[in-house]
Amino acid sequence: MAWLFQDSPTFKEPWRVIPWGNRNEELDYVRNFKPRSGVKHLRVLLLGLPGSGKSAFIDSVDTTLRRRVSARALAATNYDRSFTQEYRSYKIQTETPGTFYPLVFCDTMGIEKGSGRGVDVENIKLILKGHVKEGFKLLPGSKPTGSNYIDTPTINDKVHVLVCVVPATTVNLMEKEPVIKIKEVREEARDLGIPQIAILTKVDEACPEVKKDLKKVYNSKRIQKQV
């Protein structure tokens, strides 16, 4: 009977209020969004460890906006090293054939522990500044040269938003070295005036109550501790 005295895994009231019923209104905002003059699209760079859910997040956004299941950004589960190797970008087509939302999501090799593994921080800094051409393989120790290096990047080559992707299942287990690398990239983005946000992924795996009902994510005590 000890379970009768255990604390509930959820709060009675959410610690963050989300208007779940405004789906159409939020989709309309994205459809009608227009970047400032001179910017064709917002370039959003996803940064995180291997398996953090960067590629899966891109597919989720694509699926939501196109209203059909998408799996364009290849992702791997239970993969201890970076699955994505190239600097790749993904446009999302609107309901009108041949037109796209003014958003470009960019994926890279993940941040890893140790030298010779994962993407080099200096290459991420070059991506932020728009110097790296899409398709360049971000293998450890590689540097963009020749046709892979953009000498005079335009505003459309540069990153406009940096998104740090962190899995709720391992946020407390992240090793020191990758965290230091991510911090270095964030500081570079700060100095460049690039806005930053963080996304907590795999919330359903981190909390059984959220797995039962995703709308309970902001009632979950476990998730709140990760924020």
Side-chain angles (χ1 to χ4, degrees), residues 48-160:
L49 276 61
S52 59
K54 303 191 307 301
S55 300
F57 174 75
I58 294 173
D59 285 337
S60 295
V61 174
D62 197 341
T63 295
T64 300
L65 293 178
R66 300 182 69 183
R67 301 190 180 188
R68 67 180 186 183
V69 177
S70 172
R72 291 192 301 151
L74 296 179
T77 57
N78 300 321
Y79 206 70
D80 63 349
R81 301 202 68 173
S82 296
F83 190 71
T84 301
Q85 293 190 334
E86 298 177 351
Y87 173 44
R88 303 187 62 184
S89 66
Y90 299 87
K91 295 181 179 180
I92 301 177
Q93 185 173 303
T94 68
E95 297 171 353
T96 303
T99 63
F100 300 86
Y101 287 99
L103 296 169
V104 171
F105 289 98
C106 299
D107 197 7
T108 69
M109 177 178 275
I111 297 285
E112 297 188 41
K113 176 184 177 181
S115 59
R117 296 189 61 170
V119 63
D120 292 340
V121 170
E122 292 306 314
N123 279 338
I124 293 294
K125 292 180 180 179
L126 290 176
I127 289 174
L128 292 176
K129 298 174 183 177
H131 288 296
V132 181
K133 187 175 181 180
E134 295 173 22
F136 173 65
K137 279 199 172 183
L138 296 163
L139 299 177
S142 63
K143 294 182 179 180
T145 58
S147 61
N148 288 314
Y149 185 85
I150 302 174
D151 289 306
T152 53
T154 69
I155 192 171
N156 290 299
D157 297 316
K158 300 176 182 179
V159 170
H160 304 113

Side-chain angles (χ1 to χ4, degrees), residues 7-30:
D7 291 336
S8 170
T10 58
F11 295 106
K12 290 184 179 180
E13 298 296 329
W15 41 271
R16 181 180 179 186
V17 179
I18 294 294
W20 294 100
N22 291 351
R23 173 188 172 88
N24 290 332
E25 180 180 331
E26 291 168 353
L27 287 175
D28 284 341
Y29 175 82
V30 177

